[in-house]
Amino acid sequence: PVVDLRHLPESKRRETAIQEGVACAKTQFQLSGDRLYRLKLYRSGSDEHLLWLNFHHAITDGWSWGVLFKDLEELYEAERAKRPTKLQPMPVQ
């Protein structure tokens, strides 16, 4: 989901996104039916966003986080530069 914070005073937008993200991170996952990840994008300006990623430890590890952030960085930079991504197709799906 995308949460638009632009209706708040500019001084409160980042603080609100951080408070909500921390509250989400403190919420336990329900393993019997809940997704094991939570993603939320906070829009705090026309070109300013804060992305919260929350994963249960059963589906990720430190190495995976590094891969994820590297790929996100490449996708973001490709989008900003209006160029194709340099990511290679995954050999296994």
Side-chain angles (χ1 to χ4, degrees):
V2 178
V3 179
D4 194 340
L5 300 175
R6 293 178 292 178
H7 65 282
L8 296 174
E10 193 170 341
S11 62
K12 292 288 186 185
R13 295 174 189 174
R14 184 172 179 81
E15 177 184 335
T16 299
I18 290 171
Q19 286 174 348
E20 288 188 19
V22 168
C24 178
K26 290 181 177 181
T27 303
Q28 290 186 349
F29 287 96
Q30 299 301 317
L31 300 179
S32 63
D34 199 6
R35 288 185 179 144
L36 298 181
Y37 63 90
R38 297 183 190 120
L39 312 171
K40 195 173 280 191
L41 183 67
Y42 292 90
R43 180 176 295 144
S44 57
S46 61
D47 63 351
E48 186 175 331
H49 300 78
L50 180 68
L51 176 63
W52 276 98
L53 309 169
N54 187 5
F55 291 82
H56 190 278
H57 65 88
I59 64 168
T60 191
D61 59 16
W63 180 83
S64 299
W65 276 106
V67 173
L68 175 64
F69 284 117
K70 181 177 144 274
D71 288 355
L72 281 174
E73 180 180 24
E74 169 55 27
L75 291 167
Y76 179 76
E77 292 300 327
E79 180 66 25
R80 287 190 54 159
K82 304 292 187 226
R83 64 164 170 79
T85 179
K86 296 176 186 172
L87 294 177
Q88 299 297 313
M90 293 192 55
V92 176
Q93 292 294 324

